[in-house]
């Protein structure tokens, strides 16, 4: 992030490398359906999986479709958790272990609910989608908190700390973002993606 340019010795602001589609792709939604994208990182997040499953009935009844990446190891348990509250095979639910076409998943989304690792934060921001970030409480040096906080300060996202995560708090944040979607989109419209891989390569080679 820009505020890390004051790091000791020589430093430069590069951002985080992302797939080419996030730099050059068309960010217009693929359809008119209302969709939530739920991510816990490539390995999934048990905390997010469990709480979102408990919270899923209300957004589904409100007309939202849900695309939920659970992580391969937590797929079966997450489906079982959903079954306590809704039909896991409901037409509005797409529960998967892993999303291969992540760019298309972002394009379809109105709101992203996710951990706040650097890769996820930059992908979400470059896709110009608002987010509710739930930082992993045990991340090294609490870096996921600071990743999320940087986006909150730019009015790109909201943050819900894991210690405050429950069904009611998550639903409240979802409702807040969706009620203020235009405002988030207005700020996100100014995002200018960086070709971080190119910047890093130039920094290394001096070219």
């Amino acid at each position: 992030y820009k505020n890390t340019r004051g790091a000791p010795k020589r430093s430069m602001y590069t951002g985080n490398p992302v797939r080419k589609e996030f730099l050059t792709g068309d960010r217009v939604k693929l359809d008119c359906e209302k969709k939530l994208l739920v991510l816990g990182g490539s390995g999934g997040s048990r905390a997010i999986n469990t709480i979102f499953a408990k919270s899923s009935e209300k957004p589904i009844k409100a007309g939202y479709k849900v695309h939920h990446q659970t992580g391969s190891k937590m797929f079966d348990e997450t489906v079982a958790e959903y079954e306590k509250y809704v039909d896991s095979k409901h037409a509005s639910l797409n529960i998967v272990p892993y999303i291969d076409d992540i760019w298309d998943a972002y394009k379809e989304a109105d709101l992203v609910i996710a951990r706040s690792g650097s890769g996820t934060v930059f992908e979400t921001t470059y896709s110009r989608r608002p987010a509710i970030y739930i930082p992993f409480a045990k991340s090294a040096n609490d870096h996921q908190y600071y990743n999320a906080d940087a986006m909150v300060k730019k009015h790109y996202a909201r943050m819900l700390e894991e210690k405050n995560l429950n069904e009611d708090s998550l639903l409240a944040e979802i409702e807040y973002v969706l009620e203020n979607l235009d405002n988030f989109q207005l700020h996100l419209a100014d995002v200018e993606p960086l070709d971080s891989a190119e910047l890093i390569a130039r920094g290394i080679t001096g070219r």
Side-chain angles (χ1 to χ4, degrees), residues 40-76:
S42 58
S45 161
R46 183 169 283 111
I48 292 177
N49 291 348
T50 301
I51 294 299
F52 190 85
K54 288 182 178 180
S55 310
S56 59
E57 185 176 13
K58 192 168 183 177
I60 288 173
K61 284 185 175 179
Y64 281 87
K65 292 197 170 185
V66 175
H67 195 179
H68 187 158
Q69 176 182 281
T70 66
S72 298
K73 293 182 179 179
M74 289 180 269
F75 176 72
D76 291 336

Side-chain angles (χ1 to χ4, degrees), residues 162-200:
E162 201 167 325
K163 63 184 179 183
N164 300 321
L165 178 62
N166 56 56
E167 182 182 352
D168 291 337
S169 63
L170 180 57
L171 284 171
E173 289 296 333
I174 291 172
E175 289 175 4
Y176 179 88
V177 175
L178 295 177
E179 287 173 0
N180 295 278
L181 203 55
D182 289 347
N183 188 49
F184 284 99
Q185 290 172 339
L186 182 66
H187 286 92
L188 285 159
D190 294 331
V191 170
E192 291 292 340
L194 295 172
D195 190 343
S196 300
E198 176 72 15
L199 291 171
I200 291 169

Side-chain angles (χ1 to χ4, degrees), residues 52-100:
F52 190 85
K54 288 182 178 180
S55 310
S56 59
E57 185 176 13
K58 192 168 183 177
I60 288 173
K61 284 185 175 179
Y64 281 87
K65 292 197 170 185
V66 175
H67 195 179
H68 187 158
Q69 176 182 281
T70 66
S72 298
K73 293 182 179 179
M74 289 180 269
F75 176 72
D76 291 336
E77 68 180 67
T78 305
V79 170
E81 191 66 32
Y82 268 100
E83 286 290 352
K84 297 176 184 177
Y85 309 98
V86 295
D87 178 3
S88 66
K89 294 182 175 60
H90 193 287
S92 293
L93 272 177
N94 183 19
I95 310 168
V96 295
Y98 186 77
I99 300 172
D100 290 313

